[in-house]
Amino acid sequence: MLGLILAGGMGTRLWPVSRELYPKQFLSLNGDQSLIRGTVERSLGYVDDVLVCTNGDQFFYVRDELEDLVDEENILVEPSKRDTFPAITGGSLFIREKFGDEPFLVLPSDHVLGEDFFELAIEASDLSDEYLITFGVEPSYPATGYGYINPGKELDTGYVVDSFKEKPSEEEARDFLDDGYYWNSGIFLFKPSVYEKELKRNSPNVYSGEQSYSEFMDGYEDYDSISVDYALMEKSDKVATVPYSGKWKDIGSWNSVFELMEKDENGNSVKGDVKLRDSEDNLVYSKNNRLIVGLGLKDLLIADTEDALLVSSKEKAEEVKSLVQELRKENREEVEKHKKVHKPWGHYKQLEESERYGVRHLTIPPNESISLQRHHHRAEHWVIVQGTAEVKKGQDKKHLNENESIYIPKSTKHKIKNPGKIDLHLIEIQTGEYIQEDDIKRFE
C-alpha cells in the first residue's frame, strides 16, 4: 500500500498564520512539527512509500519541508489548482505507471490521525480490489461542518455506501446520528485499476482509459475544478465505507485548532511569547517574536504574525474565510504571502519596503543559485553576511566573502551562486522607481 498526500490547499480559515503561498499544512500548530510532516511520518510507518500532490506555488515548501522523507520525483505538481478529483486521478495514473496496481491511501495533509487508523486501512486494503473506499468517522456530536455517509449493505469489512449527505442543519445532524450515519472524513483508499475503471464508466469526459500520466497532466488546465466526491464517489455504485472510531481531527478552522491544542488551568491555549491574567477560554497564537499580554479576556481568538494581526471572538472564527476574500479583492499581499518567501534557490525575508526601496535577507543553500537576470527599473546592492558568493555581473565574475559587497546597476545582467559548504546569507538593498517582482527578465 502507498500513501498519496494532498497538499495543495490554501487554508484561508486559518489566516493570517496560513497564507496562499504558505498554507496551514506547513504550520506547527501543536508542537514543533508541521501538519504535513506529521502526516508523512505517520504514514511511512505503515505504507511502502509516500507521494505528495501539490501545486507549483507550494512545490518548494513541500520539497524543503520533506527533503529527508520524500523523494523529489514523488512530489507531483499540478499545473493549476483543480481540487481533489484531477489531483487524485493524476496520482493514480502516476502510481500505476511507476509502482503497478498498488492500492493507495489518499490523505489530506492537514488531518490529525491516530496510529490505529493506518492499521484499519491495511485491514481494509483487500476491499479495494472491488470497491472505491471512503473512511467514515463515527460522530461524537451532531456536527454541521462535515458531510455525512449513509451506510447500506454490510460487507465483511465495512458497508456499501447507500448515499452521501451534504453538511446538514443541526436538526438534520441529530437525525443522522440517530440513524447511524458517519462523518465523511475525506480519506480514501483506491486501487488504480478499480479507480480508473469507475472513472471511465462515470466520468469519461475526464478519463477515456487511454491516457498516460504525462498526457493527462498536459490537459490538466482543461479539467473542471471539482472534488472527487462530486465527480466520482456520488456517481459510482461501487463505493464502500469503512468506519473509524479513533483519533481524527480535520484542522479546518481556528476553533478546531483550539480543540487540538493543550489548555492551561483556565482553558486558554497559547503558542508563542504570551502572558495572560484573569483570562479564560482564549486561543492566542503567535508566529511573531513580539510579547503578547492579555488581561480579562474571554472566548477570544488572537492570531499574530509579523505583518498582520487577527482579533476575533471564537464565535466568529468561521467568518475568517469571508474576511480574507474581501482582503483579496483589495489586492492585499498579506493574503498571499508572509514576509518569508520560498524560492527555487532558497528563500528571502522582506525586512523593509517602501515605494522606491526594499531591503531583503536572502538565504541560498550550498550549490544553489539565482538565475541569470536583469531589472530595468531597479538597482541592487548585495552585502555578504555569511558564506561565500560567486557573482556574475555583466561579463565579469567575482568571489565575495563575509563583509564584502557589490553594486548591480539597472539593466545589468547578474547572477549569484553559493559555491560553499554552508548557507550563504546576504542583505539585498533594492532602489529605483519600480521595485516590484514583475520587473525581471531571466536568461536561463
Side-chain angles (χ1 to χ4, degrees):
M1 187 171 70
L2 303 169
L4 177 64
I5 313 298
L6 303 182
M10 293 187 292
T12 52
R13 289 185 176 88
L14 294 186
W15 186 87
V17 176
S18 176
R19 309 283 174 100
E20 289 183 6
L21 294 183
Y22 196 80
K24 60 183 178 178
Q25 54 262 33
F26 302 109
L27 302 177
S28 304
L29 295 174
N30 192 29
D32 297 326
Q33 190 178 62
S34 69
L35 290 173
I36 187 172
R37 189 174 180 87
T39 299
V40 171
E41 286 194 352
R42 283 191 296 271
S43 301
L44 284 172
Y46 297 90
V47 302
D48 297 320
D49 209 345
V50 166
L51 302 91
V52 179
C53 183
T54 188
N55 56 66
D57 290 336
Q58 297 172 20
F59 167 76
F60 302 105
Y61 294 97
V62 172
R63 181 196 65 182
D64 294 350
E65 179 70 11
L66 304 176
E67 182 179 13
D68 59 327
L69 297 176
V70 178
D71 291 339
E72 188 169 330
E73 65 179 13
N74 283 350
I75 302 176
L76 313 183
V77 180
E78 298 177 274
S80 57
K81 298 175 183 178
R82 286 293 184 270
D83 215 320
T84 58
F85 179 49
I88 294 171
T89 302
S92 179
L93 293 170
F94 182 89
I95 287 168
R96 178 165 55 81
E97 291 180 12
K98 183 177 179 180
F99 299 95
D101 198 23
E102 279 288 314
F104 61 99
L105 185 63
V106 181
L107 293 165
S109 58
D110 54 357
H111 286 195
V112 177
L113 287 162
E115 300 288 342
D116 56 342
F117 170 79
F118 295 92
E119 297 169 359
L120 175 67
I122 292 171
E123 292 175 9
S125 60
D126 288 346
L127 189 61
S128 67
D129 291 339
E130 185 177 355
Y131 290 93
L132 305 171
I133 300 173
T134 180
F135 290 89
V137 175
E138 294 187 10
S140 55
Y141 65 97
T144 58
Y146 302 135
Y148 283 75
I149 299 170
N150 180 17
K153 176 185 174 183
E154 187 172 2
L155 303 169
D156 290 339
T157 303
Y159 303 84
V160 174
V161 171
D162 183 77
S163 61
F164 292 92
K165 302 295 183 181
E166 293 295 319
K167 296 176 182 178
S169 66
E170 186 170 347
E171 182 178 352
E172 289 174 321
R174 293 185 186 281
D175 290 340
F176 290 166
L177 260 66
D178 292 339
D179 292 338
Y181 287 30
Y182 299 106
W183 286 338
N184 189 345
S185 69
I187 302 173
F188 309 98
L189 179 59
F190 299 133
K191 195 168 189 177
S193 58
V194 177
Y195 179 86
E196 292 162 27
K197 176 183 176 182
E198 288 303 295
L199 183 58
K200 182 179 179 181
R201 191 160 68 93
N202 292 281
S203 296
N205 58 315
V206 176
Y207 181 67
S208 65
E210 303 297 332
Q211 294 117 305
S212 66
Y213 170 71
S214 61
E215 290 170 339
F216 179 81
M217 299 306 282
D218 286 343
Y220 204 88
E221 296 189 13
D222 296 330
Y223 305 134
D224 292 335
S225 181
I226 188 171
S227 72
V228 72
D229 297 274
Y230 289 135
L232 182 58
M233 304 298 280
E234 294 185 7
K235 295 180 179 180
S236 174
D237 58 4
K238 300 295 289 184
V239 179
T241 186
V242 176
Y244 174 61
S245 58
K247 180 182 179 181
W248 173 77
K249 180 66 67 175
D250 177 3
I251 311 301
S253 69
W254 279 115
N255 283 333
S256 61
V257 174
F258 180 70
E259 293 174 7
L260 176 69
M261 292 178 63
E262 294 181 0
K263 313 289 189 297
D264 65 16
E265 64 274 13
N266 296 310
N268 299 302
S269 292
V270 301
K271 186 177 178 69
D273 193 2
V274 179
K275 178 71 173 180
L276 300 178
R277 178 183 292 177
D278 298 330
S279 299
E280 298 178 354
D281 302 322
N282 301 288
L283 170 58
V284 185
Y285 190 101
S286 175
K287 281 189 68 68
N288 204 346
N289 293 324
R290 178 168 44 212
L291 170 66
I292 298 177
V293 178
L295 296 171
L297 307 181
K298 185 173 176 59
D299 291 323
L300 289 185
L301 156 63
I302 300 172
D304 189 30
T305 66
E306 288 187 82
D307 57 349
L309 169 67
L310 171 68
V311 181
S312 167
S313 67
K314 296 212 305 289
E315 184 182 7
K316 293 287 186 178
E318 296 293 336
E319 297 181 23
V320 171
K321 182 177 181 178
S322 62
L323 178 64
V324 172
Q325 291 172 343
E326 292 180 21
L327 294 173
R328 184 180 291 111
K329 291 177 182 178
E330 298 172 7
N331 295 318
R332 296 298 300 254
E333 68 174 18
E334 294 91 343
V335 171
E336 182 182 26
K337 60 185 180 181
H338 285 284
K339 292 289 187 180
K340 180 179 177 180
V341 179
H342 280 249
K343 290 289 187 178
W345 44 262
H347 61 263
Y348 72 83
K349 183 176 181 181
Q350 193 76 40
L351 303 178
E352 186 73 29
E353 187 172 18
S354 186
E355 184 177 351
R356 292 185 61 89
Y357 74 89
V359 182
R360 292 176 173 178
H361 172 194
L362 279 62
T363 302
I364 305 175
N367 299 315
E368 295 292 342
S369 63
I370 296 177
S371 62
L372 183 64
Q373 57 188 251
R374 73 179 174 202
H375 315 290
H376 291 293
H377 300 286
R378 76 172 186 252
E380 295 177 341
H381 192 156
W382 292 336
V383 181
I384 307 303
V385 177
Q386 176 184 296
T388 302
E390 179 183 287
V391 178
K392 184 173 183 181
K393 174 184 173 183
Q395 298 300 315
D396 299 328
K397 184 180 289 187
K398 185 175 182 180
H399 282 81
L400 299 177
N401 298 307
E402 290 182 15
N403 298 319
E404 295 182 334
S405 64
I406 191 169
Y407 175 69
I408 310 293
K410 296 178 185 177
S411 300
T412 301
K413 289 184 180 180
H414 59 281
K415 176 179 180 178
I416 185 168
K417 179 180 179 179
N418 178 2
K421 302 294 185 182
I422 62 174
D423 285 352
L424 168 63
H425 293 265
L426 63 142
I427 301 299
E428 177 181 87
I429 303 169
Q430 307 168 339
T431 58
E433 64 271 15
Y434 186 81
I435 61 169
Q436 300 304 310
E437 283 290 285
D438 56 351
D439 175 27
I440 187 170
K441 182 176 181 180
R442 293 185 174 88
F443 296 92
E444 58 183 29

